[in-house]
Amino acid sequence: MSMEDYDFLFKIVLIGNAGVGKTCLVRRFTQGLFPPGQGATIGVDFMIKTVEINGEKVKLQIWDTAGQERFRSITQSYYRSANALILTYDITCEESFRCLPEWLREIEQYASNKVITVLVGNKIDLAERREVSQQRAEEFSEAQDMYYLETSAKESDNVEKLFLDLACRLISEARQNTLVNNVSSPLPGEGKSISYLTCCNFN
Amino acid sequence: MADNLPTEFDVIIIGTGLPESILAAACSRSGQRVLHVDSRSYYGGNWASFSFSGLLSWLKEYQQNNDIGEESTVAWQDLIHETEEAITLRKKDETIQHTEAFCYASQDVEDDIEEIGALQKNPSSGVSSTFTEVLDSACLPEESQSSYFNSDEMPAKHTQKSAGEISLEIADVDESVEKEKYCGDKTCIHTVSDKDGVKDESTSTVEDDANQPNRNRITYSKIVKEGRRFNIDLVSKLLYSQGSLIDLLIKSDVSRYVEFKNVTRILAFREGKVEQVPCSRADVFNSKELTMVEKRILMKFLTFCLEYEQHPDEYQAFRQCSFSEYLKTKKLTPNLQHFVLHSIAMTSESSCTTIDGLNATKNFLQCLGRFGNTPFLFPLYGQGEIPQCFCRMCAVFGGIYCLRHKVQCFVVDKESGRCKAIIDHFGQRINAKYFIVEDGYLSEETCLNVQYKQISRAVLITDKSILKTDSDQQTSILIVPPAEPGACAVRVTELCSSTMTCMKDTYLVHLTCSSSKTAREDLESVVEKLFTPYADIEINKEELTKPRLLWALYFNMRDSSGISRSSYNGLPSNVYVCSGPDCGLGNEHAVKQAETLFQEIFPSEEFCPPPPNPEDIIFDGDDKQPEVPGTNNTVIAKLQSSEESKNLESPEKHLQN
């Protein structure tokens, strides 16, 4: 695939406690796989999937935490220049929900103001072990002005929807304000920003 | 901690500064199992950068002399077997000294009340922001300020507000961090739902400020409020666009994690004035300051420097002279001599020889134009991003990361004399074959014979550029020559808000020199030459051309870069030492050190080869793969084999079609 073979490119970053299924969501979406009992993902920095929305090719670059969340040691630079964040918790794990404010604080601190955040409650296939009610999560996400969705990476429930909806939102944001992708170098000062990773491409 | 650390590794790395982080990436990339720990809660050690409140917390840590963490550590003595001995590590960092902070921006109380009030009305979009603001505003309450001023420990000078230098209130920062943590663990979600009722009014703090008239005056509370816009580096460095760090970032693909901006101007300070140095061909010809004759002379000289080796007759006779003496013989006018010596070669020391000077000039000129009009790049969000980017690369290849993790001692096998494990603050023993440790972690006993140099640093927040031009978004470097012979030149970098290191309408200025006294004694005279303290502004109208100082911090940082391995006492041969930041402008020392140590440990391994391109190992959206169990294993297997063969092209391209 040549560099120009898409209309939009967005960087999506996953965060959330270890074991909530972040990697499974990415794998399910990008490869259609549910890796049972997978370990760490060695050597994979981010995954790419190109989708077509209303005739436009949208390239999604999806970044995973590389395990740094395990001991709460995510690098700040991980958040920089993300267009969207998927904040994931496990509906069967109260603790993963209670850590959300801490994650939001990191987002506030390090991510761009214009980042779109989606709250995802994963593992709805394990409904009988649910510890976090949908209502609580809805209230929380509303208070935080986030989109909210429950998914199952295992059963493939809502996974496509999650990423495709996000892609739609990113496109409409990008349309409304073409500056949205320039957050990392906001001002057209005399120093032009040099980006090895050209994050977005609006033509 | 919910999760237990594994106890078997190949390499344990202590400290997340630049050389350690490069090594971590290199080791992990070559298949080693890496544990990378830092006792601090942030990445980078002395290479870190901080938000404004983060910097205040950092400052507080060094201004307080209490030793935290002591109680919570498990005694290691019982964990050492008879056949072993322990080498303890330092409990408290001592690499930072003589911290002094001054606030010049107005701190009137009304402002603070307004801010707190505004906060209650406007819970902005996230819990987190509310917390940040609580944290920030907690720095200023009156009561705590008075308690601070009553403190016995403070030098009398700083307790007097009338002196115009008001020492910063920072005592409350940690307390509020504590509160915040508490919220994070327990009450936070409730706090948030409590605020449901007012959420519709939410406006971001930035907009809030914009709506208020009469706001071009930047107050201290505004700095605090916008504190997260700051990314204040502890070390001030730039990347030479042809330097070894840029080469390494590109080669290893770590460059994908970081973006850069050009340094836009090279400045000189001559006869009390700041002027721009023309250095590219275009600059020289467009310069209004230079006469036609000067332009011709300068171009001729710079062109010669680029290929000076081919004209030995031009400089052979001056080999023994200093570079400044040599320049005098080249018919350069005094201002051109100044430009070349201080701003282009950046060799203000009188000891600099002709050859070194020519070499430095050549290096400068070669770096010109690769990415822009000056030879330098600056990473967006600060230099502190770079170690983190290497850490990310290490993690991607399986390295395990653990901040806030203290190491108590190395465990050494008496018979072999080799280090076999560390014992952490939980009393857990973690085994490895190789150990890499940053100098600052080593105990006084280990460093008994080591003579350290010091770096003097100042960090200033100002309201204007030191050289105003049409654009207010300039990134500049200025070398201020020593006032008296024998003293050190001071390197000044001025960063604008588009480097993402300071809030709008401010500049972040870094001063660096190698220390002869405390940082303030070394640097204050230069600060006074370039800036006006905010408080004095009404008095001296003539000074209005100078930028105003809003806030200033001075500190000394230990420079362990020149220490030879043999000066450390009794370190086992499989313990390797990385130094902290050096005083130089570039990052060449750190890169070289990391590469040298890596090759010493793993002589047959390649240093940071390019990783496989993630785009090559991913299925494209159009050709759906069948859901066969195990397919993903084959992907990984292919990826690994391709790493080994370093043939990155073949297997993955097939997957794509």
Side-chain angles (χ1 to χ4, degrees):
Chain A
M1 197 162 102
S2 78
M3 278 296 284
E4 288 76 31
D5 200 10
Y6 53 84
D7 302 298
F8 294 96
L9 190 153
F10 297 114
K11 177 176 172 182
I12 300 173
V13 161
L14 276 99
I15 51 171
N17 280 18
V20 298
K22 296 182 293 297
T23 309
C24 290
L25 283 170
V26 184
R27 283 288 183 76
R28 168 59 80 186
F29 177 65
T30 55
Q31 294 167 256
L33 297 168
F34 181 74
Q38 36 94 193
T41 15
I42 301 294
V44 179
D45 213 342
F46 53 83
M47 302 266 222
I48 295 275
K49 177 143 169 163
T50 308
V51 294
E52 213 174 283
I53 291 172
N54 300 331
E56 284 183 297
K57 280 202 166 168
V58 183
K59 193 168 173 181
L60 301 177
Q61 192 185 62
I62 308 164
W63 293 61
D64 206 343
T65 52
Q68 286 183 322
E69 81 282 20
R70 202 167 142 197
F71 300 102
R72 288 178 48 230
S73 304
I74 291 199
T75 53
Q76 299 158 23
S77 60
Y78 177 64
Y79 294 92
R80 312 284 195 208
S81 73
N83 301 103
L85 294 166
I86 299 179
L87 174 54
T88 314
Y89 72 95
D90 173 353
I91 64 149
T92 72
C93 174
E94 170 78 22
E95 174 66 16
S96 71
F97 185 74
R98 280 204 298 192
C99 284
L100 295 178
E102 214 166 305
W103 285 109
L104 288 174
R105 205 181 74 80
E106 294 228 341
I107 296 172
E108 173 72 18
Q109 194 108 42
Y110 307 125
S112 143
N113 285 346
K114 293 180 179 147
V115 75
I116 296 177
T117 312
V118 187
L119 180 66
V120 170
N122 191 31
K123 305 199 188 176
I124 51 168
D125 49 289
L126 303 175
E128 72 283 358
R129 282 158 49 191
R130 182 189 278 272
E131 288 183 6
V132 183
S133 76
Q134 200 162 348
Q135 196 198 340
R136 251 176 91 199
E138 263 164 18
E139 280 170 13
F140 178 75
S141 66
E142 221 168 278
Q144 298 309 313
D145 203 17
M146 287 185 289
Y147 302 94
Y148 172 65
L149 199 64
E150 293 202 341
T151 59
S152 164
K154 188 174 179 205
E155 304 296 334
S156 199
D157 282 347
N158 274 345
V159 177
E160 291 261 313
K161 182 176 163 49
L162 163 67
F163 287 97
L164 296 183
D165 284 1
L166 193 50
C168 289
R169 265 173 223 143
L170 285 165
I171 292 174
S172 76
E173 289 264 324
R175 286 251 162 73
Q176 279 173 28
N177 179 9
T178 35
L179 287 175
V180 76
N181 70 318
N182 284 334
V183 282
S184 53
S185 51
L187 288 161
E190 297 199 4
K192 66 171 188 273
S193 169
I194 291 148
S195 169
Y196 295 106
L197 170 74
T198 327
C199 212
C200 276
N201 181 14
F202 298 115
N203 293 321
Chain B
M1 208 155 282
D3 212 346
N4 273 336
L5 267 179
T7 53
E8 292 293 329
F9 289 91
D10 297 310
V11 186
I12 294 176
I13 302 175
I14 305 166
T16 52
L18 184 57
E20 304 96 272
S21 300
I22 296 173
L23 269 163
C27 293
S28 173
R29 181 69 190 84
S30 76
Q32 307 297 321
R33 294 166 301 166
V34 175
L35 172 64
H36 198 177
V37 298
D38 198 303
S39 61
R40 301 167 176 98
S41 59
Y42 51 85
Y43 277 97
N46 281 348
W47 300 78
S49 50
F50 295 104
S51 67
F52 191 69
S53 65
L55 186 69
L56 298 184
S57 310
W58 173 85
L59 196 52
K60 193 196 163 201
E61 223 167 273
Y62 286 101
Q63 289 185 338
Q64 279 185 339
N65 274 325
N66 59 350
D67 199 350
I68 28 166
E70 188 76 28
E71 333 75 45
S72 63
T73 55
V74 177
W76 51 267
Q77 285 83 353
D78 302 341
L79 301 162
I80 305 290
H81 304 163
E82 252 174 53
T83 58
E84 300 165 346
E85 54 194 356
I87 299 173
T88 54
L89 293 183
R90 202 178 280 261
K91 290 193 185 76
K92 189 170 174 291
D93 184 87
E94 279 161 15
T95 56
I96 303 293
Q97 284 179 301
H98 310 300
T99 58
E100 293 176 79
F102 302 95
C103 184
Y104 302 94
S106 86
Q107 300 194 63
D108 58 85
V109 179
E110 268 175 58
D111 245 339
D112 303 338
I113 290 167
E114 192 180 307
E115 187 194 322
I116 293 160
L119 264 181
Q120 286 159 349
K121 269 181 270 150
N122 301 314
S124 51
S125 58
V127 205
S128 36
S129 78
T130 318
F131 286 151
T132 320
E133 283 156 6
V134 170
L135 165 69
D136 290 342
S137 54
C139 299
L140 283 167
E142 279 177 280
E143 314 89 78
S144 55
Q145 211 155 37
S146 52
S147 73
Y148 181 83
F149 288 126
N150 290 338
S151 159
D152 299 323
E153 287 171 33
M154 296 317 298
K157 182 177 177 190
H158 298 180
T159 64
Q160 289 167 10
K161 272 192 172 179
S162 54
E165 297 176 338
I166 298 164
S167 203
L168 261 179
E169 169 50 44
I170 49 166
D172 261 343
V173 173
D174 264 13
E175 243 174 77
S176 48
V177 168
E178 282 308 307
K179 275 185 233 155
E180 191 185 355
K181 266 188 200 150
Y182 178 71
C183 291
D185 291 336
K186 291 243 166 168
T187 52
C188 197
I189 294 169
H190 303 296
T191 318
V192 169
S193 41
D194 285 345
K195 289 215 171 97
D196 274 3
V198 284
K199 67 173 186 293
D200 289 341
E201 290 176 45
S202 64
T203 40
S204 88
T205 48
V206 185
E207 286 159 7
D208 198 33
D209 283 341
N211 294 337
Q212 292 178 12
N214 188 22
R215 270 310 196 174
N216 36 13
R217 192 177 66 126
I218 296 191
T219 59
Y220 181 67
S221 60
K222 198 166 177 187
I223 293 174
V224 167
K225 207 160 151 187
E226 295 277 303
R228 76 177 196 91
R229 305 266 163 226
F230 289 90
N231 280 295
I232 302 168
D233 284 319
L234 294 184
V235 285
S236 170
K237 286 183 175 293
L238 297 173
L239 284 80
Y240 280 95
S241 63
Q242 302 274 15
S244 52
L245 184 55
I246 285 287
D247 288 347
L248 179 62
L249 285 166
I250 292 171
K251 175 187 169 199
S252 64
D253 250 5
V254 172
S255 57
R256 71 160 72 113
Y257 306 131
V258 59
E259 289 181 76
F260 295 95
K261 248 184 137 55
N262 271 312
V263 172
T264 53
R265 299 186 302 191
I266 311 285
L267 304 178
F269 187 73
R270 209 171 63 87
E271 290 163 4
K273 260 178 61 196
V274 177
E275 27 186 349
Q276 185 166 350
V277 176
C279 44
S280 70
R281 192 176 288 266
D283 278 357
V284 172
F285 283 111
N286 293 331
S287 168
K288 292 187 187 92
E289 280 78 26
L290 300 182
T291 65
M292 271 317 284
V293 180
E294 282 179 319
K295 286 180 187 182
R296 220 168 288 142
I297 296 172
L298 183 61
M299 273 319 294
K300 187 171 167 238
F301 181 72
L302 294 181
T303 312
F304 153 71
C305 287
L306 254 179
E307 36 172 43
Y308 76 94
E309 281 125 323
Q310 287 155 38
H311 308 281
D313 46 308
E314 292 274 335
Y315 61 90
Q316 221 36 287
F318 304 94
R319 271 178 169 272
Q320 306 305 319
C321 298
S322 71
F323 189 48
S324 54
E325 291 297 319
Y326 174 68
L327 289 176
K328 284 178 195 150
T329 68
K330 298 308 283 185
K331 292 184 194 145
L332 298 168
T333 55
N335 60 332
L336 292 183
Q337 286 177 36
H338 183 101
F339 288 167
V340 173
L341 183 66
H342 301 292
S343 305
I344 294 181
M346 298 191 183
T347 52
S348 304
E349 293 75 21
S350 49
S351 60
C352 176
T353 67
T354 300
I355 300 290
D356 289 344
L358 285 170
N359 216 4
T361 308
K362 183 183 169 188
N363 182 37
F364 180 101
L365 295 170
Q366 279 179 330
C367 288
L368 272 181
R370 181 174 186 186
F371 299 116
N373 224 10
T374 75
F376 304 110
L377 295 176
F378 181 78
L380 287 187
Y381 303 99
Q383 165 85 21
E385 293 286 293
I386 298 200
Q388 296 182 45
C389 294
F390 283 98
C391 292
R392 160 93 191 169
M393 180 60 82
C394 172
V396 164
F397 282 90
I400 291 186
Y401 275 83
C402 224
L403 299 175
R404 304 167 217 90
H405 206 91
K406 293 196 173 70
V407 176
Q408 301 199 70
C409 64
F410 290 123
V411 180
V412 182
D413 181 65
K414 277 185 189 163
E415 201 186 317
S416 65
R418 285 175 71 84
C419 183
K420 54 197 235 188
I422 57 164
I423 294 175
D424 69 11
H425 61 304
F426 298 121
Q428 192 185 11
R429 181 187 273 251
I430 307 168
N431 302 317
K433 299 186 190 100
Y434 303 99
F435 301 81
I436 295 162
V437 59
E438 197 260 315
D439 169 90
Y441 285 86
L442 296 170
S443 73
E444 234 162 294
E445 200 186 337
T446 308
C447 303
L448 202 61
N449 301 326
V450 180
Q451 289 289 321
Y452 290 109
K453 290 180 292 182
Q454 295 286 331
I455 303 168
S456 285
R457 288 276 293 114
V459 173
L460 316 173
I461 300 172
T462 68
D463 72 338
K464 248 184 354 186
S465 172
I466 44 176
L467 183 61
K468 224 174 162 246
T469 51
D470 299 340
S471 163
D472 63 350
Q473 293 298 314
Q474 300 272 9
T475 303
S476 316
I477 175 165
L478 162 70
I479 307 287
V480 179
E484 60 219 62
C488 276
V490 174
R491 187 171 77 233
V492 183
T493 45
E494 184 187 71
L495 306 169
C496 59
S497 59
S498 62
T499 61
M500 312 306 270
T501 57
C502 57
M503 64 183 271
K504 205 170 160 280
D505 300 326
T506 65
Y507 291 83
L508 184 63
V509 181
H510 289 283
L511 284 82
T512 312
C513 72
S514 40
S515 307
S516 47
K517 293 170 235 151
T518 71
R520 186 154 69 93
E521 289 165 330
D522 282 338
L523 299 171
E524 201 171 36
S525 64
V526 173
V527 171
E528 281 165 1
K529 274 181 208 156
L530 296 171
F531 305 96
T532 312
Y534 195 97
D536 291 357
I537 207 74
E538 312 300 339
I539 305 162
N540 196 345
K541 286 268 192 272
E542 274 169 48
E543 299 278 304
L544 268 171
T545 48
K546 291 187 194 172
R548 301 168 192 179
L549 266 186
L550 303 172
W551 189 81
L553 164 69
Y554 296 93
F555 61 93
N556 288 85
M557 183 186 284
R558 184 202 271 178
D559 176 359
S560 50
S561 62
I563 308 301
S564 90
R565 158 78 208 207
S566 56
S567 343
Y568 298 105
N569 274 339
L571 281 186
S573 60
N574 60 337
V575 173
Y576 300 84
V577 184
C578 285
S579 63
D582 62 314
C583 193
L585 172 60
N587 294 275
E588 318 333 279
H589 183 270
V591 175
K592 188 161 181 238
Q593 182 171 54
E595 187 164 5
T596 309
L597 289 180
F598 181 78
Q599 265 144 15
E600 214 175 295
I601 307 171
F602 303 109
S604 57
E605 293 286 332
E606 193 186 344
F607 181 65
C608 289
N613 184 349
E615 303 206 25
D616 290 341
I617 55 167
I618 303 305
F619 307 105
D620 213 20
D622 301 329
D623 44 51
K624 282 251 165 43
Q625 290 293 311
E627 296 196 21
V628 183
T631 310
N632 96 79
N633 293 343
T634 50
V635 178
I636 300 250
K638 278 183 179 171
L639 163 59
Q640 283 166 344
S641 68
S642 78
E643 276 167 51
E644 274 156 32
S645 62
K646 274 185 254 151
N647 181 358
L648 303 175
E649 304 299 322
S650 49
E652 294 84 14
K653 284 271 159 76
H654 272 280
L655 290 172
Q656 274 208 326
N657 284 325

